[in-house]
């Protein structure tokens, strides 16, 4: 690490403990329509989230604090200063890496959400496959009707892309998202909760979790059952048949790695409803992106994008 980098880290470290948001107020009360939309999108039919006495899904904790399209009005100057330092040093890209939540009490329709947030930690400079940069962790303390309701920690990597010109001079970076002159797709985050899914992909099998207690199928992979809370599970292999439940066509930003021609052309991203009843996000291939339609029948196949990565995708048919 160069002296310059040491000096930058010292300046970044000084922001630990400073507020990133104060006296924030949720733009809406906890409400039933938002809960319904969330449950429909997630495919979560837990009866605790509907009817008299309903509560909000705990994982919606952050949703009630979001700034929306108009952005945050409660963000502190310290937060903007920290990001300004990183941008000025060439660490201009950002990617969310993980979050942690702690639930202290259920949220119910009608609760007014308030929150404060703090810059909790700044890591030393790290080199990843994406590039070199610093992990920034913020902690949000959420209250409902004035009572502590939960804690949300959110971690990002603020980095200079590998192979780019950003970052400190003289700082080496790891292998970027290019190989043999071709752009590579981002690497999936593999952890102890989803490692079995990716092992199945490596064997050309699309595996769905099944609760051992109530036999509810679930996707994406989770450590426990949404329906009954059981943490014991096994898997079933998907047949590979499905339909397009909804979709978007991505035009911008251009990303050559998602185009077979490497020309960064538009591509279709779809929510696929598998024959087994669960849904997953993937690409639709085999038809022009403007021909993808809701209800289109698709069939699973495995796409090798480079020598390290193979992904489940779905082939559509214009017929």
């Amino acid at each position: 690490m160069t002296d310059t980098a040491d000096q930058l880290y010292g300046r970044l470290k000084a922001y630990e403990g400073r507020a990133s948001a104060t006296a924030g107020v949720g733009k809406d009360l906890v409400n039933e329509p938002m809960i319904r939309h969330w449950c429909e999108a997630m495919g979560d039919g837990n009866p605790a989230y509907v009817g008299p006495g309903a509560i909000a899904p705990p994982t919606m904790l952050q949703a009630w604090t979001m700034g929306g399209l108009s952005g945050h009005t409660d963000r502190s100057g310290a937060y903007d200063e920290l990001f300004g330092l990183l941008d000025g040093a060439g660490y201009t890209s950002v990617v969310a890496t993980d979050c942690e939540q702690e639930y202290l009490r259920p949220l119910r329709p009608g609760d007014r959400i308030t929150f404060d947030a703090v810059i909790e930690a700044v890591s030393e400079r790290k080199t990843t496959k994406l590039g070199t940069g610093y992990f920034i962790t913020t902690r949000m303390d959420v209250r409902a009707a004035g009572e502590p309701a939960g804690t949300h920690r959110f971690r990002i990597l603020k980095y200079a892309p590998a192979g780019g010109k950003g970052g400190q001079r003289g700082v080496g970076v790891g292998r970027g998202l290019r190989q043999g002159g071709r752009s590579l797709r981002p690497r999936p985050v593999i952890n102890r909760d989803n490692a079995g899914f990716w092992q199945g992909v490596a064997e050309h099998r699309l595996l769905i979790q099944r609760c051992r207690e109530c036999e509810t199928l679930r996707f994406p992979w989770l450590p426990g059952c949404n329906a009954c809370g059981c943490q014991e599970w096994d898997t079933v292999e998907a047949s590979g048949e499905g339909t397009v439940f909804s979709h978007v066509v991505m035009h911008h930003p251009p990303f050559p790695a998602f185009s077979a021609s490497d020309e960064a052309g538009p591509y279709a991203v779809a929510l696929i409803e598998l024959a087994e009843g669960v849904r997953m996000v993937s690409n639709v291939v085999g038809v022009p992106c403007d021909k993808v339609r809701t209800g289109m029948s698709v069939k699973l196949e495995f796409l090798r994008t480079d020598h390290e990565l193979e992904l489940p995708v779905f082939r559509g048919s214009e017929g």
Side-chain angles (χ1 to χ4, degrees), residues 211-223:
C211 175
R212 285 190 181 274
E213 182 69 26
C214 67
E215 298 189 343
T216 297
L217 301 181
R218 64 179 185 263
F219 194 92
W221 281 37
L222 296 169

Side-chain angles (χ1 to χ4, degrees), residues 19-279:
S20 59
T22 55
V25 179
K27 292 195 171 184
D28 297 285
L29 301 178
V30 176
N31 62 84
E32 293 176 355
M34 285 280 285
I35 294 171
R36 175 171 55 82
H37 293 322
W38 177 281
C39 290
E40 287 181 357
M42 297 297 179
D44 192 342
N46 193 316
Y49 307 144
V50 295
I55 64 172
T59 49
M60 286 188 76
L61 182 68
Q62 186 192 22
W64 312 110
T65 69
M66 300 293 281
L69 293 178
S70 58
H72 292 275
T73 59
D74 45 34
R75 184 168 285 165
S76 73
Y79 188 88
D80 292 335
E81 290 171 13
L82 174 63
F83 274 64
L85 279 174
L86 288 161
D87 288 340
Y91 301 99
T92 55
S93 296
V94 63
V95 63
T97 60
D98 61 285
C99 70
E100 304 169 12
Q101 292 184 338
E102 179 183 11
Y103 312 118
L104 302 178
R105 86 146 171 90
L107 301 181
R108 298 178 175 85
D111 281 341
R112 169 65 70 187
I113 300 301
T114 56
F115 56 91
D116 296 295
V118 65
I119 302 166
E120 188 171 63
V122 180
S123 77
E124 296 182 356
R125 193 185 59 199
K126 306 288 186 180
T127 296
T128 73
K129 289 184 177 181
L130 286 176
T132 296
Y134 299 85
F135 288 94
I136 312 295
T137 304
T138 54
R139 187 191 76 241
M140 180 177 289
D141 297 309
V142 180
R143 297 176 296 276
E147 300 176 355
T151 300
H152 175 82
R153 284 183 172 84
F154 192 66
R155 189 170 294 110
I156 64 167
L157 174 64
K158 197 79 166 69
Y159 67 100
K165 297 181 179 179
Q168 301 292 340
R169 291 183 175 86
V171 175
V173 296
R175 182 182 60 79
L177 293 180
R178 295 194 68 82
Q179 184 182 92
R182 175 178 169 79
S183 296
L184 303 185
R185 293 201 183 195
R187 309 292 94 171
V189 176
I190 300 176
N191 54 40
R192 62 184 180 183
D193 291 329
N194 66 14
F197 169 78
W198 290 107
Q199 180 59 43
V201 169
E203 299 168 356
H204 286 190
R205 302 166 66 216
L206 183 61
L207 299 179
I208 305 169
Q209 281 183 307
R210 177 175 59 190
C211 175
R212 285 190 181 274
E213 182 69 26
C214 67
E215 298 189 343
T216 297
L217 301 181
R218 64 179 185 263
F219 194 92
W221 281 37
L222 296 169
C225 178
N226 282 330
C228 71
C230 177
Q231 296 186 355
E232 299 296 325
W233 52 270
D234 57 14
T235 63
V236 296
E237 183 175 354
S239 67
E241 304 291 336
T243 58
V244 174
F245 184 82
S246 65
H247 73 282
V248 296
V249 176
M250 300 295 297
H251 293 270
H252 185 82
F255 197 172
F258 283 86
S259 171
S261 64
D262 205 25
E263 295 175 353
Y267 54 93
V269 180
L271 182 62
I272 305 296
E273 185 162 79
L274 299 179
E276 290 74 18
V278 299
R279 299 171 189 159

